[in-house]
């Protein structure tokens, strides 16, 4: 022992550290590089160690010993360190130790000291205590594993209960792809997902085993769809019989090396356990140079699941019954960054509204007064216990603009996404210019007399467009209701109304490299029923504008959404956050709507016809004649998920106006000051696949 100690002291510290930490491979090999040194124990035996690279930059662990089983025998406990593992994976013929180091540490001297201490009735030495308490340690290890398993199941209980839709089977059957997590910067892990790709190895529970206790094995990512990954256990090669889908952000997914540091056993799947005689050598060869998750991946997920908004915070939010004003609301629930807001004067919390914390519909207390926006004052004069105004820094910031020079003016015409019918882009007018770059927009031909349905857009909003945008990009433009001179032509309309078009240079023409492609699957909020998150598909891409189709529903329910909208989420977001996902509607469910009785109507503050929504929940908003747009909020009374499964309402037919005539390439539009702006429109690609920065293919000539 003294010779061995002297040798260790003469060995440089860096060399000893390298021999103790071979990345992941010293774990699987379970043999020290110091195989030439003699052992003083009769129980220690030498093994042939395969050639191992000195440095492994990709996969590493903390130098702990892997308990590497081959699945052929029962469990065993190391007599030195107390580690529990499969017997055949242990070192030496006697299978008493988990590694060479434990075998050598348990030297004959310590063994004799332990026996002598027992005979003399003295307290055992430190090593003897380990030997004496090995059954207890084994029980404690098993109990700790059971306890951790129960805790994980408790965390996942709510998620599993709400998981009724199988994304994996749906993607496999339709042969589609999911939008990458990196497309959703507002979603958890959206800004730190870049290194996760096909070929990455992870440690996951092994479901192909006969062991009653939970064991793990290494799997490779075969395909990615949002948070979901198609995995294949190592050793199956091209065999797809045991492939399975898994949410990578769930607690039971770990980087390679986690089992070693946590003392969890790695067991090959029983289907292939006899495929290789030496699994250690196989994994050393297979995993050399492979990538794995960051060591702190689970911590990163937990940090990304923390949200700054808390219950009882006060905010200003759009009044869903009177769109041109805001009201005070309280945060009642936070799920994955989505907020369930209850209006301050709501009776029993029934009058609520769902939106994301980065939604442009919510603001800090005092925002309406600061910009001159309409605001409904509350009769409540004092805050209740626990209520606090949400800090201004929690809200999404808008781009600063200079309104002192050339800016939007009242009466200017433009094109805008109709907030009450998001499948339509309509002829619209700037009704009022507010402070800080905000505008009140009204849809021509459908406005209420009192302006209660004007909607607030920021001047840099991606939901407003210059005159001619739809025609250039081959998008259907909805003309004013009652306008009979069809096909609609902007030149004639501006002349007839004596109006001017808002200058093109005032609009936001920035197109980020968003990464969306046609046919990608995702989870999207139905903004007509903002508490519903549905299975959806990207069906059109026009610069930064996406057309979202809700799978199983007619195209009339499609919605135009910006690529950076906080109401779009990756596949698996609902499972990760515990939110209820609405699966695609089946034909039988749509036909059920014929027998659904009409709901009791309730008066609204503004005039207009509403289209029926997909799922009749609670009381329907009042549908009045003379207008074909939908309610902004859907139901008057809503509740958080899970939601009742009822038959969907049958949509009423709508009238579409298709543009069949192209305008002149050069339009001359008279302004009130008799000055003339000439707009040259160049035909652009409507479904733009290249997401580089660009414009709307519209330029304004001096």
């Amino acid at each position: 022992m003294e010779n061995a100690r002297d040798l260790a002291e003469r060995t440089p510290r860096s060399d000893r550290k390298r021999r103790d930490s071979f990345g992941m491979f010293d774990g699987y090999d379970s043999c020290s590089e110091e195989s030439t040194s003699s052992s003083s124990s009769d129980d220690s035996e030498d093994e042939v160690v395969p050639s191992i690279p000195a440095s492994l930059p990709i996969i590493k662990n903390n130098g702990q010993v892997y308990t590497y089983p081959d699945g052929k025998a029962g469990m065993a406990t190391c007599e030195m360190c107390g580690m529990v593992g499969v017997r055949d994976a242990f070192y030496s013929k006697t299978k008493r130790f988990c590694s060479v180091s434990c075998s050598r540490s348990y030297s004959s001297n310590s063994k004799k000291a332990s026996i002598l201490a027992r005979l003399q009735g003295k307290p055992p030495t430190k090593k003897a205590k380990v030997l004496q308490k090995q059954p207890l340690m084994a029980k404690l290890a098993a109990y700790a594993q059971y306890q951790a398993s129960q805790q994980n199941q408790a965390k996942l209980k709510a998620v599993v209960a709400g998981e009724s839709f199988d994304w994996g089977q749906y993607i496999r059957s339709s042969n589609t792809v999911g939008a990458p997590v990196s497309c959703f910067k507002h979603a958890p892990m959206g800004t730190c997902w870049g290194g996760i790709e096909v070929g990455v190895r992870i440690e996951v529970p092994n479901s192909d085993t006969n062991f009653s206790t939970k064991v793990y094995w290494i799997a490779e990512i075969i395909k990615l769809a949002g948070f979901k990954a198609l995995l294949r256990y190592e050793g199956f090669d091209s065999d797809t019989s045991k492939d399975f889908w898994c949410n990578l952000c769930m607690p039971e997914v770990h980087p390679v090396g986690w089992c070693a540091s946590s003392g969890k056993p790695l067991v090959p799947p029983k289907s292939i356990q006899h495929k290789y005689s030496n699994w250690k050598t196989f994994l050393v060869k297979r995993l050399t140079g492979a990538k794995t998750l960051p060591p702190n991946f689970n911590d990163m997920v937990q940090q990304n699941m923390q949200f700054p908004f808390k219950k009882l915070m006060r905010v200003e939010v759009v009044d869903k019954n009177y769109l041109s004003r805001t009201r005070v609301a309280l945060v009642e629930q936070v799920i994955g960054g989505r907020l369930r807001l209850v209006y301050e004067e709501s009776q029993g919390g029934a009058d609520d509204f769902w939106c994301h914390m980065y939604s442009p519909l919510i603001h800090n207390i005092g925002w309406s007064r600061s910009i001159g926006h309409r605001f409904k004052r509350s009769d409540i004069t004092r805050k209740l216990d626990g209520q606090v105004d949400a800090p201004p820094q929690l809200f999404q910031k808008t781009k600063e603009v200079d309104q002192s020079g050339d800016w939007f003016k009242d009466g200017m015409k433009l094109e805008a996404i109709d907030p009450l019918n998001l499948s339509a882009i309509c002829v619209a007018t700037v009704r009022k210019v507010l402070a800080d770059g905000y505008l009140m927009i009204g849809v021509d031909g459908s406005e209420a007399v009192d302006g209660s349905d004007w909607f607030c857009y920021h001047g840099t909003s991606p939901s407003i467009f210059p005159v001619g945008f739809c025609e250039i990009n081959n998008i259907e433009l909805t003309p004013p209701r009652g306008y009979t001179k069809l096909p609609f032509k902007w030149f004639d309309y501006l002349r007839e109304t004596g109006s001017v078009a808002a200058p093109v240079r005032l609009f936001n023409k920035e197109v980020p490299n968003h990464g969306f492609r046609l046919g990608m699957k995702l989870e999207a909020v139905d903004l007509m029923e903002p508490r519903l998150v549905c299975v959806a598909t990207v069906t059109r891409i026009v610069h930064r504008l996406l057309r979202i189709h809700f799978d199983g529903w007619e195209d009339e329910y499609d919605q135009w959404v910006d690529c950076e909208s906080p109401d779009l989420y990756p596949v698996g977001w609902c499972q990760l956050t515990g939110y209820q996902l609405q699966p695609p509607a089946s034909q039988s469910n749509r036909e059920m709507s014929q027998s659904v009785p009409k709901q009791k109507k309730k008066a609204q503050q503004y005039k207009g016809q509403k289209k029926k929504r997909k799922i009749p929940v609670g009381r329907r908003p009042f549908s009045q004649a003379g207008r074909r747009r939908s309610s902004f909020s859907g139901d008057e009374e809503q509740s958080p998920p899970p939601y009742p499964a009822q038959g969907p309402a049958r949509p009423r037919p709508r009238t579409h106006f298709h543009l069949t005539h192209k305008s002149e390439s050069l339009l001359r539009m008279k302004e009130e000051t008799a000055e003339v702006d000439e707009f040259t429109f160049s035909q652009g690609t409507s479904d733009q696949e290249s997401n580089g920065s660009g414009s709307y293919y519209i330029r304004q000539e001096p």
Side-chain angles (χ1 to χ4, degrees), residues 524-545:
V525 176
D526 179 359
L527 294 172
M528 295 295 97
E529 295 270 7
R531 65 192 181 89
L532 301 180
V533 178
C534 311
V535 174
T537 306
V538 178
T539 56
R540 282 201 69 183
I541 303 174
V542 184
H543 307 287
R544 65 179 300 150
L545 196 62

mmCIF file of all heavy atoms in Angstrom, residues 524-545:
data_model
loop_
_atom_site.group_PDB
_atom_site.id
_atom_site.type_symbol
_atom_site.label_atom_id
_atom_site.label_comp_id
_atom_site.label_asym_id
_atom_site.label_seq_id
_atom_site.Cartn_x
_atom_site.Cartn_y
_atom_site.Cartn_z
ATOM 1 N N ALA A 524 -51.544 26.057 -32.216
ATOM 2 C CA ALA A 524 -51.894 27.465 -32.392
ATOM 3 C C ALA A 524 -53.158 27.805 -31.634
ATOM 4 O O ALA A 524 -54.086 26.993 -31.540
ATOM 5 C CB ALA A 524 -52.070 27.783 -33.882
ATOM 6 N N VAL A 525 -53.194 29.018 -31.128
ATOM 7 C CA VAL A 525 -54.376 29.525 -30.430
ATOM 8 C C VAL A 525 -55.427 29.917 -31.460
ATOM 9 O O VAL A 525 -55.126 30.569 -32.470
ATOM 10 C CB VAL A 525 -54.013 30.739 -29.565
ATOM 11 C CG1 VAL A 525 -55.262 31.337 -28.916
ATOM 12 C CG2 VAL A 525 -53.005 30.352 -28.495
ATOM 13 N N ASP A 526 -56.658 29.487 -31.233
ATOM 14 C CA ASP A 526 -57.781 29.982 -32.017
ATOM 15 C C ASP A 526 -58.154 31.343 -31.431
ATOM 16 O O ASP A 526 -58.797 31.425 -30.387
ATOM 17 C CB ASP A 526 -58.958 29.012 -31.940
ATOM 18 C CG ASP A 526 -60.162 29.500 -32.727
ATOM 19 O OD1 ASP A 526 -60.087 30.596 -33.311
ATOM 20 O OD2 ASP A 526 -61.177 28.790 -32.755
ATOM 21 N N LEU A 527 -57.731 32.401 -32.077
ATOM 22 C CA LEU A 527 -57.896 33.738 -31.517
ATOM 23 C C LEU A 527 -59.344 34.189 -31.453
ATOM 24 O O LEU A 527 -59.644 35.208 -30.837
ATOM 25 C CB LEU A 527 -57.067 34.739 -32.325
ATOM 26 C CG LEU A 527 -55.553 34.519 -32.207
ATOM 27 C CD1 LEU A 527 -54.804 35.408 -33.179
ATOM 28 C CD2 LEU A 527 -55.088 34.764 -30.787
ATOM 29 N N MET A 528 -60.254 33.432 -32.096
ATOM 30 C CA MET A 528 -61.674 33.695 -31.918
ATOM 31 C C MET A 528 -62.208 33.032 -30.651
ATOM 32 O O MET A 528 -63.256 33.397 -30.143
ATOM 33 C CB MET A 528 -62.461 33.203 -33.135
ATOM 34 C CG MET A 528 -62.158 33.943 -34.422
ATOM 35 S SD MET A 528 -62.660 35.696 -34.381
ATOM 36 C CE MET A 528 -61.130 36.510 -33.946
ATOM 37 N N GLU A 529 -61.493 32.034 -30.173
ATOM 38 C CA GLU A 529 -61.755 31.387 -28.878
ATOM 39 C C GLU A 529 -60.406 31.297 -28.181
ATOM 40 O O GLU A 529 -59.778 30.250 -28.133
ATOM 41 C CB GLU A 529 -62.333 29.982 -29.074
ATOM 42 C CG GLU A 529 -63.687 29.933 -29.718
ATOM 43 C CD GLU A 529 -64.801 29.986 -28.684
ATOM 44 O OE1 GLU A 529 -64.466 30.204 -27.505
ATOM 45 O OE2 GLU A 529 -65.957 29.806 -29.045
ATOM 46 N N PRO A 530 -59.898 32.396 -27.639
ATOM 47 C CA PRO A 530 -58.486 32.466 -27.243
ATOM 48 C C PRO A 530 -58.075 31.533 -26.117
ATOM 49 O O PRO A 530 -56.900 31.481 -25.775
ATOM 50 C CB PRO A 530 -58.307 33.935 -26.843
ATOM 51 C CG PRO A 530 -59.672 34.427 -26.534
ATOM 52 C CD PRO A 530 -60.609 33.665 -27.417
ATOM 53 N N ARG A 531 -58.994 30.790 -25.539
ATOM 54 C CA ARG A 531 -58.585 29.806 -24.541
ATOM 55 C C ARG A 531 -58.298 28.451 -25.167
ATOM 56 O O ARG A 531 -57.850 27.533 -24.489
ATOM 57 C CB ARG A 531 -59.674 29.648 -23.472
ATOM 58 C CG ARG A 531 -60.979 29.081 -23.992
ATOM 59 C CD ARG A 531 -62.082 29.233 -22.953
ATOM 60 N NE ARG A 531 -63.337 28.671 -23.424
ATOM 61 C CZ ARG A 531 -63.697 27.395 -23.256
ATOM 62 N NH1 ARG A 531 -62.874 26.562 -22.664
ATOM 63 N NH2 ARG A 531 -64.858 26.967 -23.684
ATOM 64 N N LEU A 532 -58.558 28.298 -26.473
ATOM 65 C CA LEU A 532 -58.351 27.030 -27.152
ATOM 66 C C LEU A 532 -57.023 27.026 -27.890
ATOM 67 O O LEU A 532 -56.721 27.950 -28.644
ATOM 68 C CB LEU A 532 -59.482 26.758 -28.142
ATOM 69 C CG LEU A 532 -60.904 26.700 -27.583
ATOM 70 C CD1 LEU A 532 -61.898 26.410 -28.699
ATOM 71 C CD2 LEU A 532 -61.008 25.661 -26.485
ATOM 72 N N VAL A 533 -56.241 25.980 -27.675
ATOM 73 C CA VAL A 533 -55.013 25.750 -28.433
ATOM 74 C C VAL A 533 -55.240 24.489 -29.258
ATOM 75 O O VAL A 533 -55.579 23.436 -28.713
ATOM 76 C CB VAL A 533 -53.797 25.587 -27.507
ATOM 77 C CG1 VAL A 533 -52.541 25.305 -28.317
ATOM 78 C CG2 VAL A 533 -53.612 26.838 -26.655
ATOM 79 N N CYS A 534 -55.046 24.599 -30.570
ATOM 80 C CA CYS A 534 -55.458 23.548 -31.491
ATOM 81 C C CYS A 534 -54.297 23.035 -32.333
ATOM 82 O O CYS A 534 -53.280 23.714 -32.501
ATOM 83 C CB CYS A 534 -56.558 24.074 -32.428
ATOM 84 S SG CYS A 534 -57.924 24.932 -31.599
ATOM 85 N N VAL A 535 -54.478 21.835 -32.874
ATOM 86 C CA VAL A 535 -53.538 21.274 -33.849
ATOM 87 C C VAL A 535 -53.692 22.060 -35.143
ATOM 88 O O VAL A 535 -54.805 22.224 -35.657
ATOM 89 C CB VAL A 535 -53.831 19.783 -34.074
ATOM 90 C CG1 VAL A 535 -52.954 19.229 -35.192
ATOM 91 C CG2 VAL A 535 -53.614 19.004 -32.789
ATOM 92 N N ALA A 536 -52.583 22.546 -35.691
ATOM 93 C CA ALA A 536 -52.663 23.450 -36.835
ATOM 94 C C ALA A 536 -51.515 23.201 -37.806
ATOM 95 O O ALA A 536 -50.537 22.523 -37.484
ATOM 96 C CB ALA A 536 -52.671 24.902 -36.368
ATOM 97 N N THR A 537 -51.650 23.818 -39.000
ATOM 98 C CA THR A 537 -50.681 23.666 -40.081
ATOM 99 C C THR A 537 -50.440 25.014 -40.749
ATOM 100 O O THR A 537 -51.370 25.807 -40.910
ATOM 101 C CB THR A 537 -51.204 22.670 -41.142
ATOM 102 O OG1 THR A 537 -51.565 21.445 -40.508
ATOM 103 C CG2 THR A 537 -50.149 22.391 -42.200
ATOM 104 N N VAL A 538 -49.195 25.263 -41.125
ATOM 105 C CA VAL A 538 -48.862 26.456 -41.900
ATOM 106 C C VAL A 538 -49.192 26.171 -43.364
ATOM 107 O O VAL A 538 -48.588 25.290 -43.981
ATOM 108 C CB VAL A 538 -47.381 26.827 -41.750
ATOM 109 C CG1 VAL A 538 -47.046 28.050 -42.605
ATOM 110 C CG2 VAL A 538 -47.031 27.095 -40.287
ATOM 111 N N THR A 539 -50.146 26.905 -43.934
ATOM 112 C CA THR A 539 -50.577 26.645 -45.315
ATOM 113 C C THR A 539 -50.121 27.716 -46.301
ATOM 114 O O THR A 539 -50.130 27.468 -47.505
ATOM 115 C CB THR A 539 -52.106 26.522 -45.384
ATOM 116 O OG1 THR A 539 -52.706 27.713 -44.841
ATOM 117 C CG2 THR A 539 -52.582 25.312 -44.595
ATOM 118 N N ARG A 540 -49.752 28.889 -45.820
ATOM 119 C CA ARG A 540 -49.223 29.929 -46.711
ATOM 120 C C ARG A 540 -48.197 30.748 -45.961
ATOM 121 O O ARG A 540 -48.315 30.960 -44.746
ATOM 122 C CB ARG A 540 -50.318 30.848 -47.247
ATOM 123 C CG ARG A 540 -51.153 30.282 -48.378
ATOM 124 C CD ARG A 540 -51.838 31.384 -49.167
ATOM 125 N NE ARG A 540 -50.896 32.188 -49.926
ATOM 126 C CZ ARG A 540 -51.243 33.259 -50.665
ATOM 127 N NH1 ARG A 540 -52.518 33.637 -50.717
ATOM 128 N NH2 ARG A 540 -50.340 33.950 -51.320
ATOM 129 N N ILE A 541 -47.207 31.223 -46.684
ATOM 130 C CA ILE A 541 -46.189 32.105 -46.119
ATOM 131 C C ILE A 541 -46.041 33.284 -47.063
ATOM 132 O O ILE A 541 -45.651 33.119 -48.220
ATOM 133 C CB ILE A 541 -44.837 31.394 -45.945
ATOM 134 C CG1 ILE A 541 -44.981 30.150 -45.067
ATOM 135 C CG2 ILE A 541 -43.802 32.353 -45.357
ATOM 136 C CD1 ILE A 541 -43.714 29.322 -44.960
ATOM 137 N N VAL A 542 -46.372 34.463 -46.583
ATOM 138 C CA VAL A 542 -46.240 35.687 -47.368
ATOM 139 C C VAL A 542 -45.333 36.627 -46.586
ATOM 140 O O VAL A 542 -45.783 37.332 -45.696
ATOM 141 C CB VAL A 542 -47.604 36.339 -47.651
ATOM 142 C CG1 VAL A 542 -47.433 37.560 -48.553
ATOM 143 C CG2 VAL A 542 -48.558 35.341 -48.278
ATOM 144 N N HIS A 543 -44.059 36.565 -46.913
ATOM 145 C CA HIS A 543 -43.054 37.329 -46.178
ATOM 146 C C HIS A 543 -43.067 36.899 -44.709
ATOM 147 O O HIS A 543 -42.745 35.774 -44.402
ATOM 148 C CB HIS A 543 -43.264 38.824 -46.368
ATOM 149 C CG HIS A 543 -43.341 39.226 -47.815
ATOM 150 N ND1 HIS A 543 -42.249 39.255 -48.643
ATOM 151 C CD2 HIS A 543 -44.400 39.588 -48.592
ATOM 152 C CE1 HIS A 543 -42.615 39.619 -49.857
ATOM 153 N NE2 HIS A 543 -43.922 39.824 -49.855
ATOM 154 N N ARG A 544 -43.491 37.744 -43.808
ATOM 155 C CA ARG A 544 -43.538 37.369 -42.401
ATOM 156 C C ARG A 544 -44.949 36.944 -41.972
ATOM 157 O O ARG A 544 -45.185 36.628 -40.797
ATOM 158 C CB ARG A 544 -43.053 38.514 -41.515
ATOM 159 C CG ARG A 544 -43.916 39.770 -41.540
ATOM 160 C CD ARG A 544 -43.343 40.819 -40.604
ATOM 161 N NE ARG A 544 -43.297 40.349 -39.243
ATOM 162 C CZ ARG A 544 -42.387 40.752 -38.356
ATOM 163 N NH1 ARG A 544 -41.451 41.614 -38.693
ATOM 164 N NH2 ARG A 544 -42.412 40.283 -37.124
ATOM 165 N N LEU A 545 -45.870 36.955 -42.886
ATOM 166 C CA LEU A 545 -47.256 36.623 -42.579
ATOM 167 C C LEU A 545 -47.506 35.138 -42.820
ATOM 168 O O LEU A 545 -47.135 34.602 -43.864
ATOM 169 C CB LEU A 545 -48.184 37.464 -43.457
ATOM 170 C CG LEU A 545 -49.658 37.566 -43.057
ATOM 171 C CD1 LEU A 545 -49.801 38.218 -41.693
ATOM 172 C CD2 LEU A 545 -50.419 38.375 -44.107
#
